[in-house]
Amino acid sequence: MNEVKEILEDRASDYGSFSNVAKITQDIVKALENGASWKTREASFQVAFYMIANKMARAVNGALTRDTILDIQGYAQLILDNCDFKQEGRRKNES
């Protein structure tokens, strides 16, 4: 068996079929695209959210792995590191 086929079979055993993961990912992304500000977000934000959607789809279609959650955390960190944020006001109890 060639290496690529082995990898694909391994992923399918962990996360379920590629077509199911793709469908779930697209459903999540379609929901995100309905957000009022989606089209104004920078590419890095949109791609990071797409990747998070894909990792979420894997988690609900197959095995929940620590690596998947760390990937989600990593993409969220990329948003924090690379996207512009609205200045947030301080709450009354913050100094």
Side-chain angles (χ1 to χ4, degrees):
M1 188 178 331
N2 74 34
E3 187 175 1
V4 172
K5 187 172 181 176
E6 287 179 22
I7 290 169
L8 292 175
E9 288 178 0
D10 184 51
R11 295 299 183 275
S13 71
D14 286 346
Y15 304 117
S17 76
F18 174 75
S19 61
N20 284 349
V21 172
K23 169 83 170 86
I24 294 166
T25 300
Q26 285 300 303
D27 288 347
I28 295 169
V29 170
K30 284 178 187 175
L32 294 171
E33 289 172 343
N34 286 324
S37 63
W38 178 262
K39 290 181 181 171
T40 65
R41 298 288 185 224
E42 53 265 296
S44 56
F45 174 94
Q46 291 180 351
V47 170
F49 265 71
Y50 179 88
M51 295 305 297
I52 290 169
N54 182 255
K55 299 301 179 176
M56 291 169 61
R58 283 179 155 193
V60 299
N61 195 59
L64 177 60
T65 66
R66 178 177 168 78
D67 188 58
T68 294
I69 300 306
L70 290 172
D71 284 346
I72 291 170
Q73 183 178 6
Y75 287 114
Q77 186 64 52
L78 289 171
I79 294 168
L80 287 171
D81 294 346
N82 294 289
C83 295
D84 294 326
F85 293 91
K86 176 182 173 183
Q87 275 302 107
E88 298 179 38
R90 291 186 176 268
R91 295 187 181 130
K92 289 181 183 179
N93 294 337
E94 294 178 337
S95 51

